[in-house]
């Protein structure tokens, strides 16, 4: 079999392609973005697309699955929050063609606003979740996830973390399976979730959960590696690799299917080892389950709850082994190197003006969040995709419309389309008088230059309708709309002052191509 | 198992350098794993790649105290990696200062004693001056490959393997320039 070194995310695209996946949709978000980029680049027979947000992406993938195709949705952990509404009910409907959702968690918050542990979502939505420990497993588990999906009539979550998504390793290359479309018939009791249907489906998915719990023990996704039985460690994902490295003599229960957990296998393991440990990143998800099964186990008492794990963190926690430093500590001050806006970045012109005006700035998610850092230091708030406009309206509701005379919301083109539009509709509908700045740099920049509905191109590189942002905001009911090149800083300052002073909703579109865009 | 860290500033090309090393290691029959940084951290921030090759590699991350070679494309970034050095390891650092934001805005000073500190406290330190080599290669962008050339002198792989890996991974029109950069790098250590 041919082997190739691949990024975890490339391996996932390969796995879906080999499984005969036909439709793939997602929204860019580190550390998940390269999955669909790889798909569009290397596996052209899969119809791949960027959707405006994760909710729509999951709906597209679910539609394709109901229509009989194997389909894939990809997103980062916080993206699954956006897609949670369809997720929880598609759990009830189940699938026709296999439906696999890739969820990329980010322990350490390398490129994220939080460190949420989405294993909880699998449990809450009653969905099977697999959790690979290497790029090779990422490919195999993705393939298997399609089988599980069709066998058990469940959408399946594949959970990866940054150190799986963005690590490389050898992957076995297989052939693409030829999976024909399944017949698609009208079946409202399964696919139309009226309350009467939903109640019945709930019973079905609870029954499936029992079968899946058995599968979790027998499928090989979870396995016991017996060594010395003095100490036994239950572990999952990349943490398994750290444990294998720093505890080479201990017995390991490797969890590859993290929901439902393999109860009988846990019992078998726990009852045969003297001291039982769980080593997992983020929350005590497995640990609490093991405790609920009635076993005494050591986990988060020793292993950090916050941040990502590393081999030496596990070594210290479990073996009490300190790092031996070859070089003494430097006693001077080392300046940090925080990320920053590029030289010539169009956002920098805007933030220089906002800094000068000393306005209250409600920010959003993108490169421009860096406007919060020196030398700009302009931002007061930033939470999630699209939040800037709703929060901007909330500021005005709380502090009165005089406060809106020195406040702006800043949001990027792609983020505005993702989930800013509804905020703007709210601002007009509920009589806000604030100013929204759409920083339109003609690309989804932060995640590495993806197309979006306003760029005029699809993920597959085809020309398409270019969403007219100006027409869009006018249709929301905004009458004061100015489009300006932010490089003209004097004009920009004048325009911002005028629009902020006006006692009616206004939008300033600062349009200038990202400096890195060719 | 050998453990190599490439470190530098976002945009310096540490990921490409690590890809070439992985390719060469695979070709020579080793298992290999690597870990890298994407996304927000890349916007001019500190970046690194961990590469491990050997008979059977588990963790993609090198533990602190576990690196055999650290190749650093910038002085200050080398200082952040010293905890990863194994006793007896080799630390190759490009003599270049790229001011981070706190220095640019005057909030902090760029430490002046970096070279002295490393040389004094770690016997395996090699500071290289790449300016001439880059001039000769004709592009500053080949710094990553010059540094890879330095590393290649310490690893037991054939020149042809390095060269074919570079050919496989570098954009076609830059291959000649990069092969030259690689060989110039070999001449620096």
């Amino acid at each position: 079999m041919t082997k190739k070194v691949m990024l975890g995310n490339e391996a996932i695209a390969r796995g879906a392609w080999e499984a005969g996946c036909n439709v793939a949709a997602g929204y860019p978000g580190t550390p998940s973005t390269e999955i669909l980029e790889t798909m569009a680049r290397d596996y052209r027979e899969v119809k791949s697309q960027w959707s405006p947000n994760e909710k729509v992406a999951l709906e597209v993938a679910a539609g394709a699955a109901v229509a009989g195709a194997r389909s894939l949705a990809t997103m980062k952990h916080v993206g699954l929050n956006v897609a949670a509404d369809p997720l929880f009910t598609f759990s009830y409907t189940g699938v026709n063609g296999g439906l696999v959702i890739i969820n990329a968690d980010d322990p350490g918050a390398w490129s994220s606003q939080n460190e949420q542990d989405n294993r909880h979502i699998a449990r809450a939505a009653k969905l099977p979740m697999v959790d690979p420990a290497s790029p090779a497993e990422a490919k195999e588990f993705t393939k298997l996830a399609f089988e599980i999906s069709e066998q058990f009539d469940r959408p399946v979550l594949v959970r990866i973390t940054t150190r799986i998504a963005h690590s490389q390793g050898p992957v076995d290359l297989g052939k693409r399976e030829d999976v024909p479309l399944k017949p698609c018939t009208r079946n409202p009791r399964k696919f139309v979730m009226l309350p009467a249907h939903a109640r019945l489906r709930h019973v079905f998915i609870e029954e499936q959960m029992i079968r899946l719990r058995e599968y979790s023990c027998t499928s090989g996704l979870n396995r016991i590696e017996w060594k010395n039985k003095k100490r036994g460690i239950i572990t999952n994902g990349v943490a398994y690799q750290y444990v294998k490295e720093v505890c080479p003599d201990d017995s390991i229960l490797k969890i590859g299917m993290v929901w439902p957990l393999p109860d009988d296998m846990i019992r078998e393991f726990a009852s045969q080892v003297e001291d039982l440990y769980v080593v997992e990143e983020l929350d005590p998800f497995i640990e609490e389950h093991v405790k609920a099964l009635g076993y005494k186990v050591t986990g988060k008492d020793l292993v950090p709850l916050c941040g990502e794990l590393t081999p030496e963190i596990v070594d210290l926690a479990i073996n009490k082994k300190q790092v031996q430093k070859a070089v003494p500590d430097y006693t001077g001050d080392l300046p940090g190197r925080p990320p920053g806006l590029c030289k010539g970045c169009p956002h920098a012109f805007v933030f220089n003006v906002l800094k000068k005006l000393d306005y209250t700035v409600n920010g959003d998610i993108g490169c421009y969040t860096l406007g919060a850092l020196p030398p700009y230091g302009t931002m007061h708030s930033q939470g999630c995709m699209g939040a800037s406009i709703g929060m901007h309206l909330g500021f005005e509701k709380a502090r009165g419309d005089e406060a809106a005379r020195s406040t702006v919301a800043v949001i990027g083109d792609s983020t505005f389309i993702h989930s800013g539009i509804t905020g703007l509709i709210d601002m007009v509908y509920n009589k806000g008088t604030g100013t929204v700045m759409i920083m339109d740099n003609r690309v989804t920049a932060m995640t590495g230059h993806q197309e979006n509905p306003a760029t005029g191109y699809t993920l597959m590189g085809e020309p398409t309708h270019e969403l007219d942002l100006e027409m869009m905001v006018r249709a929301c009911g905004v009458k004061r709309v100015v489009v300006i090149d932010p490089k003209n800083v004097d004009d920009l300052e004048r325009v911002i002052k005028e629009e902020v002073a006006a006692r009616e909703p206004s939008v300033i579109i600062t349009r200038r191509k990202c400096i890195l865009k060719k | 198992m050998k453990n190599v860290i490439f470190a530098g500033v976002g945009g310096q090309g540490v990921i490409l350098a690590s890809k070439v090393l992985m390719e060469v290691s695979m070709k020579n029959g080793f298992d290999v794993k690597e870990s890298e940084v994407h996304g927000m951290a890349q916007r001019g921030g500190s970046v690194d790649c961990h590469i491990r090759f050997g008979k059977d590699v588990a963790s993609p991350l090198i533990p602190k105290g576990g690196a055999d070679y650290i190749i650093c494309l910038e002085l200050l970034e080398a200082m952040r990696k010293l905890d990863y050095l194994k006793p007896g390891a080799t630390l190759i650092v490009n003599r270049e200062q790229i001011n981070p934001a706190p220095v640019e805005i005057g909030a902090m000073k760029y430490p002046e004693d970096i070279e002295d500190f490393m040389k004094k406290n770690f016997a395996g330190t090699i500071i290289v001056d790449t300016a001439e080599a880059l001039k000769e290669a004709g592009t500053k962008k080949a710094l990553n490959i010059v540094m890879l050339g330095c590393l290649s002198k310490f690893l037991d792989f054939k020149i042809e393997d390095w060269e074919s890996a570079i050919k496989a991974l570098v954009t076609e029109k830059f291959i000649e320039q990069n092969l030259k950069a690689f060989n110039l790098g070999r001449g620096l250590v």
Side-chain angles (χ1 to χ4, degrees):
Chain A
M1 194 177 269
T2 324
K3 265 189 201 294
K4 193 180 168 200
V5 172
M6 282 185 159
L7 201 61
N9 281 345
E10 293 171 334
I12 286 170
R14 176 80 191 191
W17 175 81
E18 287 182 8
C21 174
N22 273 316
V23 177
Y27 184 80
T30 316
S32 72
T33 313
E34 299 81 5
I35 302 168
L36 287 195
E37 287 184 322
T38 304
M39 200 69 108
R41 186 190 64 218
D42 297 342
Y43 309 114
R44 301 287 293 180
E45 52 275 70
V46 181
K47 292 173 196 125
S48 303
Q49 64 164 64
W50 292 129
S51 292
N53 66 33
E54 294 85 353
K55 177 179 185 293
V56 178
L58 178 52
E59 289 156 354
V60 170
V66 172
R70 286 194 163 183
S71 62
L72 183 78
T74 73
M75 58 203 68
K76 68 182 294 175
H77 62 331
V78 287
L80 196 58
N81 299 342
V82 177
D85 195 7
L87 183 80
F88 276 68
T89 299
F90 292 141
S91 170
Y92 275 47
T93 65
V95 303
N96 182 21
L99 172 60
V100 173
I101 300 137
I102 311 292
N103 162 83
D105 281 8
D106 188 16
W110 286 93
S111 266
S112 303
Q113 62 268 43
N114 76 26
E115 288 190 284
Q116 73 184 51
D117 185 335
N118 276 2
R119 294 177 296 173
H120 298 295
I121 289 190
R123 181 166 57 187
K126 301 176 186 289
L127 288 173
M129 176 183 262
V130 294
D131 195 345
S134 66
E137 278 192 358
K139 196 210 85 172
E140 291 309 322
F141 286 19
T142 301
K143 255 175 108 164
L144 192 57
F146 283 97
E147 306 278 334
I148 300 171
S149 176
E150 289 178 2
Q151 185 183 340
F152 293 93
D153 190 12
R154 320 292 299 116
V156 177
L157 289 155
V158 178
R159 176 189 186 246
I160 51 170
T161 58
T162 303
R163 295 296 178 187
I164 301 298
H166 291 159
S167 77
Q168 305 204 38
V171 174
D172 290 327
L173 303 185
K175 287 202 177 70
R176 178 166 165 91
E177 214 180 305
D178 184 23
V179 184
L181 274 181
K182 289 192 169 178
C184 172
T185 51
R186 179 175 291 131
N187 185 357
R189 284 160 70 90
K190 175 166 161 56
F191 289 120
V192 180
M193 280 305 97
L194 288 164
H197 299 165
R199 286 179 210 120
L200 296 174
R201 290 301 294 181
H202 188 185
V203 174
F204 170 77
I205 68 174
E206 296 299 351
E207 288 166 0
Q208 289 305 77
M209 196 50 84
I210 294 168
R211 296 187 185 103
L212 278 159
R213 196 162 284 125
E214 206 180 293
Y215 176 87
S216 190
C217 294
T218 56
S219 63
L221 278 162
N222 300 312
R223 65 166 189 261
I224 296 175
E225 299 172 4
W226 287 118
K227 285 193 177 161
N228 192 330
K229 291 188 177 174
K230 170 89 185 64
R231 192 163 71 170
I233 303 174
I234 306 177
T235 183
N236 69 303
V238 75
Y240 160 77
Q241 307 288 7
Y242 306 152
V243 168
K244 220 171 109 164
E245 184 145 334
V246 303
C247 308
D249 303 321
D250 296 336
S251 293
I252 294 175
L253 167 52
K254 179 190 183 297
I255 300 293
M257 186 167 198
V258 79
W259 194 255
L261 283 161
D263 290 358
D264 288 345
M265 202 178 241
I266 292 170
R267 289 189 186 101
E268 182 196 349
F269 187 73
S271 60
Q272 292 191 45
V273 298
E274 267 177 61
D275 297 317
L276 184 63
Y277 287 74
V278 173
V279 175
E280 57 191 324
E281 280 183 318
L282 301 175
D283 295 345
F285 183 84
I286 299 172
E287 180 184 342
E288 283 173 357
H289 189 87
V290 173
K291 281 180 175 161
L293 290 176
Y295 294 98
K296 193 173 159 288
V297 59
T298 306
K300 291 295 162 183
D301 291 346
L302 298 177
V303 181
L305 191 61
C306 305
E308 64 171 0
L309 299 180
T310 63
E312 69 273 10
I313 288 172
V314 175
D315 210 9
L316 177 66
I318 302 295
N319 299 327
K320 304 281 169 275
K321 213 173 126 195
Q322 296 278 354
V323 171
Q324 297 298 312
K325 290 183 181 175
V327 183
D329 286 336
Y330 179 72
T331 50
D333 281 335
L334 287 182
R337 196 180 296 276
L341 296 175
C342 305
K343 275 202 178 106
C345 172
H347 302 327
F349 301 116
V350 176
F351 287 120
N352 280 326
V353 173
L354 292 175
K355 185 184 181 184
K356 185 175 163 196
L357 297 172
D358 196 22
Y359 281 176
T360 300
V361 177
N362 289 304
D364 224 301
I365 307 269
C367 290
Y368 49 92
T369 313
L370 296 168
L373 302 179
Y376 314 104
T378 58
M379 217 164 269
H380 288 70
S381 75
Q382 175 257 357
C384 67
M385 292 288 286
S388 59
I389 305 177
M391 292 187 73
H392 187 43
L393 180 61
F395 262 64
E396 184 178 349
K397 294 281 173 189
R399 304 183 75 89
D401 83 337
E402 210 41 55
R405 305 289 69 80
S406 59
T407 306
V408 294
V410 297
I411 184 166
D413 45 339
S414 189
T415 308
F416 177 70
I417 297 162
H418 178 283
S419 47
I421 295 169
T422 42
L424 187 65
I425 292 171
D426 193 29
M427 193 171 98
V428 176
Y429 173 51
N430 284 305
K431 300 175 169 298
T433 65
T435 301
V436 174
M437 301 186 67
I438 302 176
M439 306 172 83
D440 179 13
N441 62 356
R442 315 303 300 153
V443 74
T444 308
M446 173 95 278
T447 41
H449 281 204
Q450 288 73 36
E451 303 295 347
N452 68 51
T455 65
Y457 287 90
T458 67
L459 169 61
M460 302 290 276
E462 295 158 343
T464 184
H465 173 73
E466 185 180 320
L467 180 73
D468 184 332
L469 291 173
E470 193 185 335
M471 205 191 276
M472 182 67 155
V473 300
R474 284 191 193 279
C476 293
V478 179
K479 295 193 178 67
R480 300 184 67 104
V481 183
V482 183
V483 181
I484 187 171
D485 180 345
K487 201 174 180 186
N488 305 323
V489 283
D490 293 340
D491 288 348
L492 179 66
E493 184 178 337
R494 178 181 50 76
V495 165
I496 293 175
K497 281 183 182 159
E498 275 172 21
E499 296 311 312
V500 168
R503 289 183 187 268
E504 62 173 301
S506 59
V507 171
I508 303 168
I509 300 173
T510 60
R511 179 167 294 148
R512 189 174 181 81
K513 206 169 68 169
C514 171
I515 191 80
L516 300 178
K517 189 174 176 181
K518 286 178 187 115
Chain B
M1 182 160 56
K2 291 283 182 230
N3 297 300
V4 181
I5 294 177
F6 283 102
V9 177
Q12 282 189 309
V14 301
I15 291 180
L16 178 65
S18 75
K19 275 188 176 166
V20 174
L21 174 57
M22 271 189 286
E23 183 81 16
V24 175
S25 315
M26 278 279 283
K27 177 107 191 268
N28 282 269
F30 291 110
D31 185 22
V32 53
K33 282 218 179 109
E34 179 254 21
S35 186
E36 58 195 51
V37 176
H38 291 215
M40 178 172 266
Q42 271 183 313
R43 294 272 175 272
S46 305
V47 292
D48 64 16
C49 283
H50 290 204
I51 305 106
R52 322 184 76 189
F53 58 92
K55 197 166 159 280
D56 189 13
V57 183
S59 162
L61 283 180
I62 297 167
K64 285 183 177 166
D68 299 285
Y69 301 95
I70 296 183
I71 316 304
C72 211
L73 281 60
E74 200 268 355
L75 287 163
L76 178 58
E77 293 314 311
M79 294 296 278
R80 302 190 212 283
K81 298 292 157 208
L82 301 179
D83 284 355
Y84 283 92
L85 286 164
K86 197 189 261 186
T90 301
L91 169 67
I92 310 174
V93 185
N94 176 34
R95 181 179 279 137
E96 187 182 352
Q97 170 176 341
I98 300 175
N99 286 342
V103 174
E104 283 290 311
I105 64 169
M108 285 183 88
K109 281 211 165 75
Y110 195 101
E112 287 171 3
D113 58 344
I114 289 179
E115 275 194 53
D116 290 345
F117 179 85
M118 290 190 290
K119 281 186 194 154
K120 192 176 138 207
N121 291 294
F122 194 70
T125 304
I126 300 170
I127 310 281
V128 292
D129 220 318
T130 54
E132 280 301 312
L134 290 171
K135 207 185 269 179
E136 207 172 316
T139 171
K140 282 188 176 172
K141 285 195 174 155
L143 172 65
N144 51 354
I145 304 296
V146 170
M147 296 300 284
L148 196 66
C150 298
L151 172 70
S152 73
K153 293 278 274 194
F154 296 88
L155 298 177
D156 206 11
F157 297 131
K158 286 188 294 225
I159 293 271
E160 303 86 79
D161 291 346
W162 287 103
E163 291 186 339
S164 61
I166 289 170
K167 282 179 195 158
L169 290 162
V170 168
T171 314
E172 201 174 344
K173 64 175 179 177
F174 299 120
I175 288 175
E176 279 313 309
Q177 226 166 21
N178 279 285
L179 289 175
K180 195 169 175 190
F182 179 77
N183 282 303
L184 288 163
R186 285 182 65 82
L188 290 176
V189 288

